[in-house]
Amino acid sequence: MPSQPPKPRTATVLTRRHLQTGLTVSIALVVGVLGVFDVVDPSTVAAATLATLALLAFDLAEERRDLAHVVPLLTRVVRALHRLPGELPGEPRLAASTSGLNIDLAGAADVRLVGVTLGRTLRNIAEPLARRLAEGALVRIAVIDPATSAPAEAARRATLPDDRGIFTNRLRPTLDLVREVAESARGTGRIEVRLLPFVPSFGLIMVDAEGEAGRLYVDVYSHRPAGAEPVLALTQAGSPQWYRHYLREFDHIWAHGQPIDLLPAEPAPCPV
């Protein structure tokens, strides 16, 4: 019985080409979907992208195409990937801080603030904060304790070691303003204040932080600011890793603060 003629080598090579192309397209689709939905971090997406490019280069080499066109392309892509993490959609970016002036508190049920003295921030949001309290919101504020070494530490960090009183003096109007806001909202929302025996390394404004639509604003402190400070805006959808990080940071800071009573107890009603 005559043996069957061998299959043409072209067909075998073509099938292999199809498998390689299908594998490359599948990897590219998976990487794209993971990147769009922020399932993996940017470094993983970048590594997977490089692997996909390697498959493409291998496929082109097998077809005996001119690698002189491929190598420059890969070089440009690799250089672009070094800049990619800061440009990915949803990647947090720094902007100029407005100390809460442009932050919308409408409808917020949970507002949390952390800072050294928060003087400017509280002045900027005092009215919307009072409105939120009047509608039953919970407001938590953490600032440094003037009775500890924290003001001196803040002065050293600000390269003003001989001017410890500057931060103590800034705290007085802050606490007075908080008492005024609390008094205006007595019996509706709840405002809590804790004093910190240390200087926080960043400022925080958190709006409905536990909800899916929560927003965090992280102020990056400078040692001697000459102008606007940088602020980092975070959301759960855009930056889940760093969002959860600062959410835990607030809980840690709050747990180490000393609660204070802002308002005297309401007098008991006179007996009839």
Side-chain angles (χ1 to χ4, degrees), residues 28 43 46-47 64 215 246 248:
S43 61
R64 296 181 181 180
R215 291 164 286 143
Y246 283 105
R248 291 191 298 267

Side-chain angles (χ1 to χ4, degrees), residues 190-206:
R190 189 167 85 253
I191 185 167
E192 300 175 1
V193 174
R194 293 195 177 185
L195 301 181
L196 307 174
F198 57 88
V199 179
S201 57
F202 50 82
L204 273 179
I205 300 177
M206 312 173 77

Side-chain angles (χ1 to χ4, degrees), residues 49-61 67-82:
T49 303
L50 285 175
T52 305
L53 290 172
L55 284 174
L56 284 172
F58 183 74
D59 193 32
L60 291 173
L67 287 177
H69 298 293
V70 178
V71 173
L73 173 63
L74 289 174
T75 302
R76 288 195 298 271
V77 172
V78 170
R79 287 175 179 172
L81 284 172
H82 284 292

Side-chain angles (χ1 to χ4, degrees), residues 67-126:
L67 287 177
H69 298 293
V70 178
V71 173
L73 173 63
L74 289 174
T75 302
R76 288 195 298 271
V77 172
V78 170
R79 287 175 179 172
L81 284 172
H82 284 292
R83 299 189 299 269
L84 187 60
E87 300 172 1
L88 286 172
E91 188 74 9
R93 295 185 180 184
L94 289 172
S97 174
T98 62
S99 299
L101 194 59
N102 64 338
I103 294 177
D104 184 13
L105 296 181
D110 180 6
V111 180
R112 309 176 189 182
L113 305 172
V114 173
V116 180
T117 63
L118 290 175
R120 185 181 306 170
T121 299
L122 283 169
R123 288 195 303 271
N124 288 341
I125 65 173

